[in-house]
Amino acid sequence: MAGESWIEAAPRGQPTLLVTACAAAGFTPRTGLRVAEWSGKFGFVAAGLGVTLVPELAARAVPADLVLRPLRGTAPVRKVYAALPLTPLPAALELVEMLGEWEVCTTVSPT
């Protein structure tokens, strides 16, 4: 897949999961198209404009005219965060605790 054109996620100011995964596989992806929404990525792939990574969560939404192929080696890992209010309910804290290890990130939204 090193010679394919890749459809990348919208930029976030840091190396994307795609760039990191391809680097681990020993190549730099040829990118150019950036699409944020899965439905858009699937449409670009269906149009023959490139290939993209699809997380397991989105795999069920892949249209029938596209083919999923598992990655060889170690698949990329995504970080998932729990968004909580500054004073979360005890039940929310318990749920997060049940989900496993987590890092606390404080982000203030612009007003």
Side-chain angles (χ1 to χ4, degrees):
M1 305 280 294
E4 297 289 338
S5 293
W6 287 84
I7 300 166
E8 195 170 13
R12 296 188 180 174
Q14 60 188 16
T16 62
L17 183 65
L18 171 66
V19 171
T20 304
C22 291
F27 70 96
T28 301
R30 190 171 36 140
T31 61
L33 294 173
R34 293 181 182 265
V35 181
E37 300 296 326
W38 290 111
S39 57
K41 287 182 182 181
F42 298 153
F44 278 57
V45 171
L49 298 174
V51 297
T52 194
L53 291 179
V54 178
E56 189 173 357
L57 185 62
R60 292 185 213 166
V62 172
D65 58 335
L66 300 182
V67 177
L68 290 177
R69 296 285 185 237
L71 298 176
R72 284 192 226 142
T74 304
V77 176
R78 300 178 91 186
K79 286 187 177 185
V80 178
Y81 298 90
L84 302 169
L86 289 175
T87 308
L89 295 171
L93 291 174
E94 195 167 323
L95 173 64
V96 170
E97 194 66 34
M98 288 173 32
L99 294 174
E101 292 282 323
W102 58 290
E103 298 175 21
V104 176
C105 296
T106 304
T107 305
V108 178
S109 300
T111 55

